Amino acid sequence: MRRGLFFLLLLALLLPCTAQAVDLELDAPAALLMEKETGEVLFAQNEHEPMEPASVTKVMTLLLTMEAIDRGAIHYDDVVTVSAYAASMGGSNVFLAEGEQITVEDLLKAVCVASGNDAAVALGEHVSGVTELFVTEMNNRAKELGMQDTHFVNCTGLPAEGHVTSAWDIAIMSRELILHHPDIRRFTTIWMDSLRGGEFQLANTNKLIRFYDGATGLKTGSTSSAGFCISATAERDGMELIAVVLKGTTSQQRFEDAKTLLNYGFSTYALHRIDAESPLPPLPVELGAADTVAVRLPEEGRTLLLPKGDVANLTQEVTLPPSVAAPVSAGQTVGALTVRSGEETLLEIPLLAAEPVPRLRWSDLLVRMLQDAFFCV
């Protein structure tokens, strides 16, 4: 019982938290707005209702592809031979022919810009060998990310019984993609391009790329049963937001809903990176090769998402022990910097040892004792 309670508490801490509620006039029945860096949810509406995502499914297809590239399993310049199955895909496609050879880079472009179902299948086959295994890996990755409302049946988003996800889950996988694989922007920010040496023209299905300031992606989708969907990303002043809209009534209305979400986020919130208000004092080291060790803040985990204007209300408290015993490792936690707004603790940042300090050897300790004795005479 205690173990189960501990797991639930841990899961609650790991999942993105939800900011204060606000009423936004949206056409779509399900929507969510998330900030990328912190994972904080700024707006949610029917966010856990399972719905058809249409081609927004391809966010997971792109995520698995980028992960395979980053671990060296596949490469941008790999040449893929298009299978008969990939070439047979209906819906949006780039008209790949069986036996056609095309690079992974061009397939990524075809998926991100034109939402090519044939290109998505070709990528899945290249990553996993067969699409069935790729879809299994999609579902496994969804579970790893905590996407509890999701079940994938294919890698394209074409209508299929039981193929569902939610606005919440789409935001989670979208965040994973843009946070850890920023190179995807090379493709998602393309407005117009071409394939096959300029013979086949591409135009981005995400019209926000041209018409919304700061748009960075990510993926549209639509079928008669799913309606008009989008996971839209945009960045301004160093803050990137993810706006998910499901089952919009028209193509233009989903873009309007996404803009409403993004406009709300950019007008209301800002990211603030925490720096120490005053220099951090060196920490005395007991029996160390050096008398003190410098203290520093970590590079990560120092960002707060705050309503604009709230930065002035922040206070800091540095907690350090009187000393630390040698040996000290570089990066060892030696204290904490606590950030508060009034009585509320917003963030606790570990303070780290900036460099290693080995323990004194017996010979060094003996020399030091003799020196102390000599100067005391």
Side-chain angles (χ1 to χ4, degrees):
M1 184 69 178
R2 290 181 180 175
R3 184 176 297 176
L5 179 60
F6 173 78
F7 175 77
L8 291 175
L9 290 172
L10 181 62
L11 185 61
L13 289 171
L14 291 176
L15 288 176
C17 55
T18 305
Q20 59 192 25
V22 65
D23 290 328
L24 295 178
E25 293 186 7
L26 301 177
D27 170 75
L32 186 139
L33 179 67
M34 177 183 285
E35 191 279 317
K36 176 193 75 175
E37 195 69 27
T38 63
E40 187 166 347
V41 176
L42 308 180
F43 175 86
Q45 174 177 294
N46 296 323
E47 65 273 23
H48 286 293
E49 184 174 345
M51 303 177 106
E52 292 182 59
S55 283
V56 180
T57 297
K58 296 186 179 89
V59 172
M60 182 59 82
T61 302
L62 294 171
L63 175 59
L64 292 186
T65 301
M66 294 304 293
E67 288 178 341
I69 290 171
D70 285 355
R71 67 175 180 266
I74 66 172
H75 305 87
Y76 284 124
D77 57 0
D78 286 355
V79 176
V80 178
T81 301
V82 178
S83 70
Y85 179 64
S88 72
M89 288 296 106
S92 57
N93 59 66
V94 293
F95 304 101
L96 297 177
E98 180 182 357
E100 180 178 351
Q101 293 192 316
I102 185 170
T103 63
V104 166
E105 179 150 349
D106 278 349
L107 288 172
L108 282 166
K109 187 191 303 183
V111 171
C112 292
V113 180
S115 195
N117 292 323
D118 45 3
V121 171
L123 281 176
E125 290 177 340
H126 187 60
V127 170
S128 303
V130 294
T131 52
E132 291 84 359
L133 180 56
F134 187 75
V135 172
T136 296
E137 292 173 356
M138 290 172 68
N139 284 310
N140 289 341
R141 193 71 179 96
K143 290 179 182 177
E144 291 172 357
L145 292 172
M147 297 167 56
Q148 299 180 7
D149 311 318
T150 296
H151 180 256
F152 295 118
V153 176
N154 56 54
C155 62
T156 61
L158 287 167
E161 184 69 28
H163 186 95
V164 294
T165 186
S166 66
W168 181 280
D169 286 2
I170 289 171
I172 287 177
M173 66 178 178
S174 298
R175 177 178 182 249
E176 185 72 12
L177 176 61
I178 64 175
L179 181 63
H180 297 295
H181 309 281
D183 203 37
I184 197 67
R185 279 191 181 196
R186 291 204 295 118
F187 308 100
T188 60
T189 55
I190 294 171
W191 172 237
M192 298 190 75
D193 209 318
S194 63
L195 295 175
R196 305 181 182 101
E199 295 180 5
F200 188 85
Q201 299 301 309
L202 302 174
N204 205 317
T205 59
N206 180 6
K207 306 311 175 188
L208 297 179
I209 292 300
R210 182 177 180 185
F211 298 109
Y212 189 80
D213 180 31
T216 57
L218 184 62
K219 193 69 201 73
T220 61
S222 64
T223 64
S224 57
S225 55
F228 294 89
C229 311
I230 189 170
S231 177
T233 58
E235 182 176 14
R236 293 180 186 173
D237 299 323
M239 180 174 72
E240 191 164 14
L241 300 178
I242 303 160
V244 180
V245 174
L246 292 180
K247 213 171 180 61
T249 54
T250 67
S251 176
Q252 185 57 35
Q253 191 57 56
R254 73 174 158 192
F255 295 129
E256 293 302 320
D257 281 353
K259 287 192 288 185
T260 295
L261 290 165
L262 293 170
N263 287 342
Y264 164 69
F266 287 127
S267 65
T268 308
Y269 292 92
L271 283 177
H272 179 65
R273 182 173 171 84
I274 301 298
D275 292 305
E277 292 175 335
S278 57
L280 296 169
L283 185 62
V285 179
E286 298 175 4
L287 299 178
D291 293 332
T292 62
V293 63
V295 177
R296 67 172 179 86
L297 287 166
E299 290 302 315
E300 304 296 330
R302 295 166 52 185
T303 303
L304 278 175
L305 181 69
L306 298 169
K308 290 185 174 179
D310 277 12
V311 173
N313 301 324
L314 298 181
T315 60
Q316 295 184 8
E317 179 185 358
V318 172
T319 304
L320 286 169
S323 62
V324 62
V328 178
S329 303
Q332 176 181 326
T333 298
V334 294
L337 186 150
T338 303
V339 182
R340 296 187 178 92
S341 178
E343 297 299 318
E344 181 185 4
T345 297
L346 301 181
L347 191 62
E348 191 166 280
I349 307 170
L351 296 177
L352 311 177
E355 66 271 331
V357 179
R359 186 179 176 88
L360 276 175
R361 295 174 297 179
W362 281 109
S363 58
D364 296 330
L365 183 58
L366 179 60
V367 170
R368 180 175 292 187
M369 291 172 63
L370 291 173
Q371 289 174 337
D372 290 344
F374 176 79
F375 285 112
C376 287
V377 173

PDB file of all heavy atoms in Angstrom, residues 219-249:
ATOM      1  N   LYS A 219       2.636  20.186 -36.405  1.00  0.00           N
ATOM      2  CA  LYS A 219       1.968  19.188 -37.241  1.00  0.00           C
ATOM      3  C   LYS A 219       0.467  19.421 -37.257  1.00  0.00           C
ATOM      4  O   LYS A 219      -0.169  19.575 -36.223  1.00  0.00           O
ATOM      5  CB  LYS A 219       2.257  17.776 -36.720  1.00  0.00           C
ATOM      6  CG  LYS A 219       1.860  16.684 -37.691  1.00  0.00           C
ATOM      7  CD  LYS A 219       2.753  16.687 -38.914  1.00  0.00           C
ATOM      8  CE  LYS A 219       2.111  16.003 -40.101  1.00  0.00           C
ATOM      9  NZ  LYS A 219       1.016  16.788 -40.721  1.00  0.00           N
ATOM     10  N   THR A 220      -0.081  19.398 -38.474  1.00  0.00           N
ATOM     11  CA  THR A 220      -1.532  19.462 -38.666  1.00  0.00           C
ATOM     12  C   THR A 220      -2.080  18.061 -38.916  1.00  0.00           C
ATOM     13  O   THR A 220      -1.330  17.109 -39.135  1.00  0.00           O
ATOM     14  CB  THR A 220      -1.890  20.340 -39.870  1.00  0.00           C
ATOM     15  OG1 THR A 220      -1.293  19.758 -41.049  1.00  0.00           O
ATOM     16  CG2 THR A 220      -1.390  21.759 -39.692  1.00  0.00           C
ATOM     17  N   GLY A 221      -3.411  17.961 -38.912  1.00  0.00           N
ATOM     18  CA  GLY A 221      -4.069  16.702 -39.255  1.00  0.00           C
ATOM     19  C   GLY A 221      -5.547  16.934 -39.473  1.00  0.00           C
ATOM     20  O   GLY A 221      -6.148  17.798 -38.823  1.00  0.00           O
ATOM     21  N   SER A 222      -6.130  16.175 -40.378  1.00  0.00           N
ATOM     22  CA  SER A 222      -7.580  16.266 -40.587  1.00  0.00           C
ATOM     23  C   SER A 222      -8.091  15.029 -41.318  1.00  0.00           C
ATOM     24  O   SER A 222      -7.445  14.528 -42.238  1.00  0.00           O
ATOM     25  CB  SER A 222      -7.948  17.520 -41.388  1.00  0.00           C
ATOM     26  OG  SER A 222      -7.409  17.459 -42.701  1.00  0.00           O
ATOM     27  N   THR A 223      -9.214  14.539 -40.836  1.00  0.00           N
ATOM     28  CA  THR A 223     -10.009  13.533 -41.536  1.00  0.00           C
ATOM     29  C   THR A 223     -11.465  13.880 -41.253  1.00  0.00           C
ATOM     30  O   THR A 223     -11.761  14.697 -40.374  1.00  0.00           O
ATOM     31  CB  THR A 223      -9.724  12.094 -41.041  1.00  0.00           C
ATOM     32  OG1 THR A 223     -10.128  11.988 -39.674  1.00  0.00           O
ATOM     33  CG2 THR A 223      -8.250  11.727 -41.177  1.00  0.00           C
ATOM     34  N   SER A 224     -12.373  13.235 -41.969  1.00  0.00           N
ATOM     35  CA  SER A 224     -13.795  13.529 -41.762  1.00  0.00           C
ATOM     36  C   SER A 224     -14.238  13.182 -40.352  1.00  0.00           C
ATOM     37  O   SER A 224     -15.095  13.852 -39.770  1.00  0.00           O
ATOM     38  CB  SER A 224     -14.639  12.757 -42.782  1.00  0.00           C
ATOM     39  OG  SER A 224     -14.392  11.355 -42.679  1.00  0.00           O
ATOM     40  N   SER A 225     -13.655  12.144 -39.758  1.00  0.00           N
ATOM     41  CA  SER A 225     -14.053  11.744 -38.413  1.00  0.00           C
ATOM     42  C   SER A 225     -13.271  12.465 -37.321  1.00  0.00           C
ATOM     43  O   SER A 225     -13.801  12.728 -36.232  1.00  0.00           O
ATOM     44  CB  SER A 225     -13.884  10.228 -38.243  1.00  0.00           C
ATOM     45  OG  SER A 225     -12.566   9.824 -38.565  1.00  0.00           O
ATOM     46  N   ALA A 226     -12.024  12.816 -37.579  1.00  0.00           N
ATOM     47  CA  ALA A 226     -11.196  13.489 -36.575  1.00  0.00           C
ATOM     48  C   ALA A 226     -11.429  14.987 -36.546  1.00  0.00           C
ATOM     49  O   ALA A 226     -11.114  15.651 -35.552  1.00  0.00           O
ATOM     50  CB  ALA A 226      -9.724  13.210 -36.824  1.00  0.00           C
ATOM     51  N   GLY A 227     -11.996  15.547 -37.633  1.00  0.00           N
ATOM     52  CA  GLY A 227     -12.085  16.987 -37.732  1.00  0.00           C
ATOM     53  C   GLY A 227     -10.721  17.575 -38.044  1.00  0.00           C
ATOM     54  O   GLY A 227      -9.831  16.889 -38.565  1.00  0.00           O
ATOM     55  N   PHE A 228     -10.557  18.842 -37.706  1.00  0.00           N
ATOM     56  CA  PHE A 228      -9.314  19.549 -38.019  1.00  0.00           C
ATOM     57  C   PHE A 228      -8.505  19.720 -36.737  1.00  0.00           C
ATOM     58  O   PHE A 228      -8.970  20.310 -35.759  1.00  0.00           O
ATOM     59  CB  PHE A 228      -9.617  20.894 -38.668  1.00  0.00           C
ATOM     60  CG  PHE A 228     -10.255  20.752 -40.018  1.00  0.00           C
ATOM     61  CD1 PHE A 228     -11.629  20.668 -40.134  1.00  0.00           C
ATOM     62  CD2 PHE A 228      -9.474  20.659 -41.167  1.00  0.00           C
ATOM     63  CE1 PHE A 228     -12.229  20.523 -41.378  1.00  0.00           C
ATOM     64  CE2 PHE A 228     -10.063  20.514 -42.416  1.00  0.00           C
ATOM     65  CZ  PHE A 228     -11.441  20.439 -42.524  1.00  0.00           C
ATOM     66  N   CYS A 229      -7.267  19.192 -36.767  1.00  0.00           N
ATOM     67  CA  CYS A 229      -6.426  19.125 -35.573  1.00  0.00           C
ATOM     68  C   CYS A 229      -5.082  19.807 -35.843  1.00  0.00           C
ATOM     69  O   CYS A 229      -4.664  19.946 -36.994  1.00  0.00           O
ATOM     70  CB  CYS A 229      -6.160  17.664 -35.186  1.00  0.00           C
ATOM     71  SG  CYS A 229      -7.632  16.619 -35.123  1.00  0.00           S
ATOM     72  N   ILE A 230      -4.429  20.206 -34.750  1.00  0.00           N
ATOM     73  CA  ILE A 230      -3.082  20.763 -34.891  1.00  0.00           C
ATOM     74  C   ILE A 230      -2.352  20.705 -33.554  1.00  0.00           C
ATOM     75  O   ILE A 230      -2.963  20.834 -32.493  1.00  0.00           O
ATOM     76  CB  ILE A 230      -3.123  22.231 -35.389  1.00  0.00           C
ATOM     77  CG1 ILE A 230      -1.722  22.727 -35.745  1.00  0.00           C
ATOM     78  CG2 ILE A 230      -3.780  23.145 -34.360  1.00  0.00           C
ATOM     79  CD1 ILE A 230      -1.685  24.066 -36.457  1.00  0.00           C
ATOM     80  N   SER A 231      -1.058  20.459 -33.632  1.00  0.00           N
ATOM     81  CA  SER A 231      -0.141  20.748 -32.540  1.00  0.00           C
ATOM     82  C   SER A 231       0.748  21.856 -33.068  1.00  0.00           C
ATOM     83  O   SER A 231       1.598  21.627 -33.933  1.00  0.00           O
ATOM     84  CB  SER A 231       0.690  19.519 -32.161  1.00  0.00           C
ATOM     85  OG  SER A 231       1.617  19.850 -31.142  1.00  0.00           O
ATOM     86  N   ALA A 232       0.508  23.085 -32.578  1.00  0.00           N
ATOM     87  CA  ALA A 232       1.189  24.273 -33.084  1.00  0.00           C
ATOM     88  C   ALA A 232       2.223  24.736 -32.079  1.00  0.00           C
ATOM     89  O   ALA A 232       1.937  24.849 -30.886  1.00  0.00           O
ATOM     90  CB  ALA A 232       0.180  25.388 -33.350  1.00  0.00           C
ATOM     91  N   THR A 233       3.425  25.006 -32.558  1.00  0.00           N
ATOM     92  CA  THR A 233       4.486  25.509 -31.683  1.00  0.00           C
ATOM     93  C   THR A 233       4.954  26.869 -32.178  1.00  0.00           C
ATOM     94  O   THR A 233       4.998  27.133 -33.383  1.00  0.00           O
ATOM     95  CB  THR A 233       5.671  24.539 -31.621  1.00  0.00           C
ATOM     96  OG1 THR A 233       6.179  24.329 -32.957  1.00  0.00           O
ATOM     97  CG2 THR A 233       5.250  23.206 -31.038  1.00  0.00           C
ATOM     98  N   ALA A 234       5.299  27.733 -31.223  1.00  0.00           N
ATOM     99  CA  ALA A 234       5.801  29.061 -31.571  1.00  0.00           C
ATOM    100  C   ALA A 234       6.700  29.544 -30.441  1.00  0.00           C
ATOM    101  O   ALA A 234       6.522  29.163 -29.280  1.00  0.00           O
ATOM    102  CB  ALA A 234       4.649  30.037 -31.792  1.00  0.00           C
ATOM    103  N   GLU A 235       7.662  30.396 -30.790  1.00  0.00           N
ATOM    104  CA  GLU A 235       8.621  30.910 -29.815  1.00  0.00           C
ATOM    105  C   GLU A 235       8.724  32.426 -29.914  1.00  0.00           C
ATOM    106  O   GLU A 235       8.842  32.985 -31.010  1.00  0.00           O
ATOM    107  CB  GLU A 235      10.001  30.287 -30.023  1.00  0.00           C
ATOM    108  CG  GLU A 235      11.022  30.744 -28.999  1.00  0.00           C
ATOM    109  CD  GLU A 235      12.368  30.056 -29.153  1.00  0.00           C
ATOM    110  OE1 GLU A 235      12.599  29.426 -30.203  1.00  0.00           O
ATOM    111  OE2 GLU A 235      13.189  30.161 -28.229  1.00  0.00           O
ATOM    112  N   ARG A 236       8.676  33.063 -28.756  1.00  0.00           N
ATOM    113  CA  ARG A 236       8.910  34.506 -28.660  1.00  0.00           C
ATOM    114  C   ARG A 236       9.671  34.787 -27.372  1.00  0.00           C
ATOM    115  O   ARG A 236       9.368  34.204 -26.327  1.00  0.00           O
ATOM    116  CB  ARG A 236       7.595  35.297 -28.658  1.00  0.00           C
ATOM    117  CG  ARG A 236       6.804  35.238 -29.964  1.00  0.00           C
ATOM    118  CD  ARG A 236       5.536  36.051 -29.862  1.00  0.00           C
ATOM    119  NE  ARG A 236       4.682  35.892 -31.041  1.00  0.00           N
ATOM    120  CZ  ARG A 236       3.446  36.398 -31.152  1.00  0.00           C
ATOM    121  NH1 ARG A 236       2.937  37.102 -30.141  1.00  0.00           N
ATOM    122  NH2 ARG A 236       2.736  36.199 -32.245  1.00  0.00           N
ATOM    123  N   ASP A 237      10.643  35.679 -27.458  1.00  0.00           N
ATOM    124  CA  ASP A 237      11.413  36.111 -26.281  1.00  0.00           C
ATOM    125  C   ASP A 237      11.962  34.928 -25.492  1.00  0.00           C
ATOM    126  O   ASP A 237      11.960  34.923 -24.256  1.00  0.00           O
ATOM    127  CB  ASP A 237      10.543  36.982 -25.370  1.00  0.00           C
ATOM    128  CG  ASP A 237      10.067  38.253 -26.063  1.00  0.00           C
ATOM    129  OD1 ASP A 237      10.860  38.818 -26.845  1.00  0.00           O
ATOM    130  OD2 ASP A 237       8.918  38.662 -25.831  1.00  0.00           O
ATOM    131  N   GLY A 238      12.411  33.891 -26.212  1.00  0.00           N
ATOM    132  CA  GLY A 238      13.035  32.749 -25.556  1.00  0.00           C
ATOM    133  C   GLY A 238      12.073  31.762 -24.937  1.00  0.00           C
ATOM    134  O   GLY A 238      12.521  30.810 -24.287  1.00  0.00           O
ATOM    135  N   MET A 239      10.780  31.940 -25.115  1.00  0.00           N
ATOM    136  CA  MET A 239       9.785  31.009 -24.571  1.00  0.00           C
ATOM    137  C   MET A 239       9.031  30.351 -25.725  1.00  0.00           C
ATOM    138  O   MET A 239       8.487  31.024 -26.589  1.00  0.00           O
ATOM    139  CB  MET A 239       8.787  31.741 -23.665  1.00  0.00           C
ATOM    140  CG  MET A 239       7.730  30.822 -23.065  1.00  0.00           C
ATOM    141  SD  MET A 239       6.651  31.669 -21.861  1.00  0.00           S
ATOM    142  CE  MET A 239       5.662  32.698 -22.955  1.00  0.00           C
ATOM    143  N   GLU A 240       9.020  29.006 -25.732  1.00  0.00           N
ATOM    144  CA  GLU A 240       8.323  28.270 -26.788  1.00  0.00           C
ATOM    145  C   GLU A 240       7.091  27.593 -26.197  1.00  0.00           C
ATOM    146  O   GLU A 240       7.150  26.936 -25.163  1.00  0.00           O
ATOM    147  CB  GLU A 240       9.239  27.236 -27.431  1.00  0.00           C
ATOM    148  CG  GLU A 240       8.648  26.626 -28.706  1.00  0.00           C
ATOM    149  CD  GLU A 240       9.682  25.905 -29.561  1.00  0.00           C
ATOM    150  OE1 GLU A 240      10.795  25.648 -29.068  1.00  0.00           O
ATOM    151  OE2 GLU A 240       9.377  25.600 -30.730  1.00  0.00           O
ATOM    152  N   LEU A 241       5.962  27.760 -26.875  1.00  0.00           N
ATOM    153  CA  LEU A 241       4.681  27.231 -26.430  1.00  0.00           C
ATOM    154  C   LEU A 241       4.186  26.166 -27.400  1.00  0.00           C
ATOM    155  O   LEU A 241       4.508  26.177 -28.591  1.00  0.00           O
ATOM    156  CB  LEU A 241       3.634  28.344 -26.325  1.00  0.00           C
ATOM    157  CG  LEU A 241       3.944  29.482 -25.351  1.00  0.00           C
ATOM    158  CD1 LEU A 241       2.833  30.533 -25.404  1.00  0.00           C
ATOM    159  CD2 LEU A 241       4.104  28.958 -23.935  1.00  0.00           C
ATOM    160  N   ILE A 242       3.382  25.250 -26.858  1.00  0.00           N
ATOM    161  CA  ILE A 242       2.757  24.180 -27.639  1.00  0.00           C
ATOM    162  C   ILE A 242       1.246  24.314 -27.477  1.00  0.00           C
ATOM    163  O   ILE A 242       0.728  24.220 -26.354  1.00  0.00           O
ATOM    164  CB  ILE A 242       3.203  22.793 -27.139  1.00  0.00           C
ATOM    165  CG1 ILE A 242       4.726  22.667 -27.179  1.00  0.00           C
ATOM    166  CG2 ILE A 242       2.530  21.685 -27.954  1.00  0.00           C
ATOM    167  CD1 ILE A 242       5.267  21.565 -26.279  1.00  0.00           C
ATOM    168  N   ALA A 243       0.554  24.538 -28.567  1.00  0.00           N
ATOM    169  CA  ALA A 243      -0.903  24.682 -28.544  1.00  0.00           C
ATOM    170  C   ALA A 243      -1.522  23.518 -29.306  1.00  0.00           C
ATOM    171  O   ALA A 243      -1.275  23.355 -30.499  1.00  0.00           O
ATOM    172  CB  ALA A 243      -1.333  26.013 -29.167  1.00  0.00           C
ATOM    173  N   VAL A 244      -2.330  22.723 -28.620  1.00  0.00           N
ATOM    174  CA  VAL A 244      -2.974  21.559 -29.236  1.00  0.00           C
ATOM    175  C   VAL A 244      -4.465  21.827 -29.383  1.00  0.00           C
ATOM    176  O   VAL A 244      -5.120  22.257 -28.423  1.00  0.00           O
ATOM    177  CB  VAL A 244      -2.757  20.290 -28.388  1.00  0.00           C
ATOM    178  CG1 VAL A 244      -3.436  19.093 -29.043  1.00  0.00           C
ATOM    179  CG2 VAL A 244      -1.265  20.032 -28.196  1.00  0.00           C
ATOM    180  N   VAL A 245      -4.966  21.568 -30.566  1.00  0.00           N
ATOM    181  CA  VAL A 245      -6.394  21.737 -30.869  1.00  0.00           C
ATOM    182  C   VAL A 245      -6.880  20.455 -31.522  1.00  0.00           C
ATOM    183  O   VAL A 245      -6.280  19.985 -32.494  1.00  0.00           O
ATOM    184  CB  VAL A 245      -6.627  22.939 -31.810  1.00  0.00           C
ATOM    185  CG1 VAL A 245      -8.087  23.013 -32.232  1.00  0.00           C
ATOM    186  CG2 VAL A 245      -6.188  24.241 -31.147  1.00  0.00           C
ATOM    187  N   LEU A 246      -7.970  19.887 -31.015  1.00  0.00           N
ATOM    188  CA  LEU A 246      -8.535  18.659 -31.579  1.00  0.00           C
ATOM    189  C   LEU A 246      -9.989  18.861 -31.974  1.00  0.00           C
ATOM    190  O   LEU A 246     -10.750  19.523 -31.264  1.00  0.00           O
ATOM    191  CB  LEU A 246      -8.437  17.508 -30.565  1.00  0.00           C
ATOM    192  CG  LEU A 246      -7.037  16.989 -30.238  1.00  0.00           C
ATOM    193  CD1 LEU A 246      -7.110  15.861 -29.215  1.00  0.00           C
ATOM    194  CD2 LEU A 246      -6.331  16.500 -31.505  1.00  0.00           C
ATOM    195  N   LYS A 247     -10.325  18.269 -33.115  1.00  0.00           N
ATOM    196  CA  LYS A 247     -11.694  18.243 -33.647  1.00  0.00           C
ATOM    197  C   LYS A 247     -12.246  19.629 -33.931  1.00  0.00           C
ATOM    198  O   LYS A 247     -13.399  19.956 -33.618  1.00  0.00           O
ATOM    199  CB  LYS A 247     -12.637  17.464 -32.722  1.00  0.00           C
ATOM    200  CG  LYS A 247     -13.749  16.718 -33.467  1.00  0.00           C
ATOM    201  CD  LYS A 247     -14.520  15.805 -32.551  1.00  0.00           C
ATOM    202  CE  LYS A 247     -15.634  15.069 -33.293  1.00  0.00           C
ATOM    203  NZ  LYS A 247     -15.128  14.207 -34.385  1.00  0.00           N
ATOM    204  N   GLY A 248     -11.420  20.461 -34.546  1.00  0.00           N
ATOM    205  CA  GLY A 248     -11.906  21.753 -35.007  1.00  0.00           C
ATOM    206  C   GLY A 248     -12.908  21.577 -36.138  1.00  0.00           C
ATOM    207  O   GLY A 248     -12.887  20.581 -36.868  1.00  0.00           O
ATOM    208  N   THR A 249     -13.773  22.572 -36.309  1.00  0.00           N
ATOM    209  CA  THR A 249     -14.848  22.432 -37.304  1.00  0.00           C
ATOM    210  C   THR A 249     -14.385  22.751 -38.719  1.00  0.00           C
ATOM    211  O   THR A 249     -14.920  22.216 -39.688  1.00  0.00           O
ATOM    212  CB  THR A 249     -16.029  23.344 -36.941  1.00  0.00           C
ATOM    213  OG1 THR A 249     -15.559  24.688 -36.769  1.00  0.00           O
ATOM    214  CG2 THR A 249     -16.700  22.873 -35.654  1.00  0.00           C
TER     215      THR A 249
END
